[in-house]
Structure formats: structure tokens, C-alpha cells
Amino acid sequence: MSRTQFSISRRHFLLGSAAVGGSYLLPGLRNAVWAAGSDAPEKSTVRVGFIPLTDCAPVVMAAVKGFDKKYGISLQPSKEASWAAVRDKLTAGELDAAHALYGMIYGLQLGVAGPQHDMANLMTLNNNGQAITLSNQLKEQKVTDAASLKTFIAGSAKGTYTFAHTFPTSTHAMWLYYWLANAGIDPFEDVRTVVVPPPQMVMNMKIGNMSGFCVGEPWNQRAISDNIGFTAATSQQIWPDHPEKILATRAQWVTENPNTARALTAAVLEAARWIDASDDNRRETAQTLAGRAWINTKPETLEGRMLGQYQNGLGQQWQDAHAMRFFHDGEVSFPYYSDGMWFLTQMKRWGLVKTDPDYLGVAQKINRLDIYQQAAAAVGNVTVPANAMRSSTLMDGKVWDGSNPAAYAASFAIHR
């Protein structure tokens, strides 16, 4: 079970409200003021990139359900082919913002995921909902979990087996490395790892290009449906209620368009709350996302895991207590500093950065609590945490709370 601590401060919430205009106004009145006064968005059209994954849902539904118009903007989702394409278009200004990998944005800030750019995280789009899939060829060899994979790999030359993730500093790379290393498998010595765009994972496994992959939904469920793989672990088994995708942009864009940034965040935040409000809303979201313009798959491939109904392709079924969440009374959406700092610790662990960065300083620069608090006040009835740090216990029993990131990064037996 997660040990995530979450506390709400009414005073902090009111301070967030005051930050956008001096006194708290009813959401409808506040929207009217922003739409008509000097706080109106600088841009009327906002182009937001996304990858066809279930967790792009808040961005897509903000546009489909018209939440964007409520805040004076027209959100135009732009379907992209890979995370590298999202990175390049975002940093070049072809996209205003994007459904993005947490680790990619932090990697860009440090210059290890591409040319250095000052970046901004406006909100977290979801917790949980990724997985590690292994091929049915491994299942035929009695490999069904990390322990049996360790034994199997030990019987072959190093690097014999290939595993895929989605981007060098991606969340998926970090979940995969953490899971392998927890079983005593060195992800840089014992196996080979490659980058594959999410929509291409299943086909690459089908033709034998990898023995396993870590990716977001629906591609893990799709591997089961297509009878080519099984779920060996979910990402929430690695870290219950972990941060996943974020609403990202460049820091310069926020400086130039602060009102648009607030309006965009408010629209996506309200969409996230709408999705989480009921199972019927989740089913409608699954039906929408399944369409050709978005993910282009069967609705049932999306719906089960969106509802927390898991089956792993090995005969096990369960209702997941930590399935994909988009809002959860604001707990999901808040851009905690400690969430971003965790990815920095893993970049240090795996040698992506050579020295300890200013963990808290980097997080404070990227995670725009000011914009989020303003957007939360605009939406109304969104609780805001009193503390920008939270505490969680991961699968190996290690507690992460952001209090001593350098020591945490140095605490792992397997590192690079």
C-alpha cells in the first residue's frame, strides 16, 4: 500500500486564490473577469502535443468537452509520432505545450535529453497506469516475474536479451531500470535496452525485436489482447501513486503568456476532474480516445484498465487500488517538487548526470506552483496541498520524501 502523505491547508488554498487577483471570487465570476479584463489569455489558440496513450486523456477531453472555451482559449491537440518529436517541436516553439514525460522535461532542463532549455511543468496529468510487458516466448520458458527473469538471463551471455523503453530519460526507462535492478539485473550490463515509440512497441515485440518493454497504456493491454505478451509488473507496483505524465512547456512561453498558461492549466485540470468524477465519465473517455484521431484502437482495450480492472495474461485478475488517476481531489494534479526531484536522483544513479544537481533548486524552477495555484482557484473547489513535498515507499522498501536526495541517489547497490 502507498504511504503517500497528503495534507490540505485552507489558508494555503486561499493564498493561491489571492495570488490571482487579491480576493477569492466564485469560479464563474472569476472566469468572466479574466475573459473581459487585463487577465485575458494572450493567445486564443493553444497547440498542445500528445502521444497516443491513455494518459493523454485530460488534454484530449479538455478540447472535446469544451473546457478550453470556458477559459477563453481554443485548445488544439496535435498527435505526435514519438517523444523525440514532442521534444523537438516543443523546444522549437512549434507546440505551445505538450502531454510530456516527467523525466524528459527535467532532462531538457539539465541538457541531457537534448539541447538545454529552461522548461516548465504546469501540472501532473496522471498517476500510475504504466506497465512492464514480457513476451510470450519468455512465458514459454517459465519466466513470469522479475525473479525468474533474473535466473533466465543469467544463463546467457550479457546483452543477449533486449528490452525497450520510450526515451532515454523517460519515466518508462526509470520504471524499467528500477524493476530490473530490484531483481539484481543490471539494466546497462546484463541486458540491452533500446528506445521505441509507444505505438510501435507491440509490433516490435511481435516480430521479435525485444523480449520486454515498459510503456504506458493501452499498449500493455494490447500485447495481451494480441496474444504476444503478458504484464509482469505494473508501474504502481514499483511506486504506488507515482507521478507520470505532465503538462509541459518552455519557461519562456510561460513568461510571455502567463494568462494563457493559467487558462490552459485550468482547462486541463477541469477535464481531469471530470474524468475522475465517475466510471461513466471514464467509459466515455475511453470511447473517445479509441477513435482514429486519438489512439486508434478498440474501446475495450482502453476501458478495463481505465476502470482499474486488470488481468495480466497469466490468468490473474484484480481490481487495482492504484490504477490510473487523473485528479483524485487534486492530489494527482499538484506538481510536487519531490516528484520532479525523484527523477533527478535516478538520472544521477544511472550516470545520466555525473554530479549531484541542485535537486530542490531545479524542481522549484521547473514546477510552476504559482500557475497551478492560479488555475486551481479559477476552476474552484480544487484542494491544494500545504506541502510541496510528499512521502512514498517504493517496491524495495526505500522511502522517498525529498529530504536528502543526494544520499538517496547514492543508496542503490546497482548503479552506473
Side-chain angles (χ1 to χ4, degrees), residues 260-279:
T260 312
R262 182 207 62 242
L264 171 63
T265 308
V268 176
L269 179 59
E270 188 156 354
R273 180 168 69 180
W274 179 87
I275 295 168
D276 262 12
S278 71
D279 283 350

Side-chain angles (χ1 to χ4, degrees), residues 199-221:
Q200 298 177 25
M201 287 288 191
V202 173
M203 180 55 67
N204 272 276
M205 180 173 279
K206 185 175 183 178
I207 62 178
N209 285 346
M210 82 271 281
S211 297
F213 60 69
C214 184
V215 73
E217 296 302 339
W219 304 114
N220 301 287
Q221 178 59 48

Side-chain angles (χ1 to χ4, degrees), residues 71 121 360 381:
Y71 297 97
N121 170 20
L360 180 58
N381 299 316

Side-chain angles (χ1 to χ4, degrees), residues 313-325:
L314 297 171
Q316 295 175 304
Q317 299 184 26
W318 71 95
Q319 183 68 37
D320 203 300
H322 300 279
M324 191 179 294
R325 293 172 175 166

Side-chain angles (χ1 to χ4, degrees), residues 27-28 30-32 34-36 39-44 46 62 66-74 259-271 273 374-380 382:
R30 170 59 74 193
N31 294 339
W34 272 330
D39 283 341
E42 299 84 1
K43 293 174 68 75
S44 58
V46 184
F67 293 119
D68 53 343
K69 306 301 188 294
K70 180 176 178 179
Y71 297 97
I73 59 172
S74 176
N259 299 337
T260 312
R262 182 207 62 242
L264 171 63
T265 308
V268 176
L269 179 59
E270 188 156 354
R273 180 168 69 180
Q374 294 168 18
V379 173
V382 176

Side-chain angles (χ1 to χ4, degrees), residues 47-53 77-89 95 98-99 101 104 165-167 195-201 204 215 219 293-295:
R47 187 174 174 85
V48 183
F50 74 94
I51 293 291
L53 293 161
S78 176
K79 188 175 183 177
E80 305 300 337
S82 68
W83 290 118
V86 170
R87 174 199 61 194
D88 294 344
K89 291 184 179 182
L95 295 171
H99 156 245
L101 295 160
M104 180 174 76
H165 55 71
T166 63
F167 191 81
V195 172
V196 175
Q200 298 177 25
M201 287 288 191
N204 272 276
V215 73
W219 304 114
W294 313 116
I295 298 178

Side-chain angles (χ1 to χ4, degrees), residues 93-328:
E94 294 179 44
L95 295 171
D96 294 308
H99 156 245
L101 295 160
Y102 222 127
M104 180 174 76
I105 299 309
Y106 271 68
L108 282 169
Q109 184 75 33
L110 298 182
V112 298
Q116 194 280 330
H117 284 82
D118 288 340
M119 304 302 293
N121 170 20
L122 302 177
M123 63 175 284
T124 303
L125 293 176
N126 69 294
N127 287 172
N128 309 321
Q130 322 299 295
I132 294 169
T133 291
L134 298 182
S135 70
N136 279 351
Q137 284 77 16
L138 286 178
K139 181 170 63 174
E140 291 168 2
Q141 299 297 320
K142 310 302 182 184
V143 174
T144 57
D145 57 16
S148 53
L149 179 64
K150 161 71 173 172
T151 301
F152 183 74
I153 287 175
S156 301
K158 290 183 181 295
T160 299
Y161 296 97
T162 299
F163 293 80
H165 55 71
T166 63
F167 191 81
T169 61
S170 68
T171 52
H172 305 108
M174 301 311 155
W175 310 141
L176 179 63
Y177 297 167
Y178 207 101
W179 182 76
L180 289 170
N182 186 63
I185 302 168
D186 189 319
F188 290 91
E189 296 291 335
D190 297 335
V191 298
R192 176 173 175 259
T193 59
V194 296
V195 172
V196 175
Q200 298 177 25
M201 287 288 191
V202 173
M203 180 55 67
N204 272 276
M205 180 173 279
K206 185 175 183 178
I207 62 178
N209 285 346
M210 82 271 281
S211 297
F213 60 69
C214 184
V215 73
E217 296 302 339
W219 304 114
N220 301 287
Q221 178 59 48
R222 179 69 178 268
I224 295 172
S225 300
D226 289 2
N227 196 33
I228 66 162
F230 63 95
T231 296
T234 65
S235 56
Q236 53 266 31
Q237 290 172 329
I238 299 170
W239 176 359
D241 299 332
H242 66 78
E244 186 50 43
K245 304 303 189 301
I246 58 176
L247 181 62
T249 184
R250 291 173 294 116
Q252 181 182 353
W253 189 86
V254 178
T255 300
E256 295 172 351
N257 304 282
N259 299 337
T260 312
R262 182 207 62 242
L264 171 63
T265 308
V268 176
L269 179 59
E270 188 156 354
R273 180 168 69 180
W274 179 87
I275 295 168
D276 262 12
S278 71
D279 283 350
D280 283 344
N281 288 1
R282 285 174 171 261
R283 291 186 183 95
E284 181 180 336
T285 300
Q287 288 284 337
T288 299
L289 291 178
R292 184 176 296 275
W294 313 116
I295 298 178
N296 191 25
T297 192
K298 296 177 181 179
E300 54 267 29
T301 304
L302 289 159
E303 187 176 291
R305 293 193 174 189
M306 275 201 78
L307 295 171
Q309 299 166 357
Y310 275 72
Q311 55 97 7
N312 64 358
L314 297 171
Q316 295 175 304
Q317 299 184 26
W318 71 95
Q319 183 68 37
D320 203 300
H322 300 279
M324 191 179 294
R325 293 172 175 166
F326 299 97
F327 181 71
H328 200 58

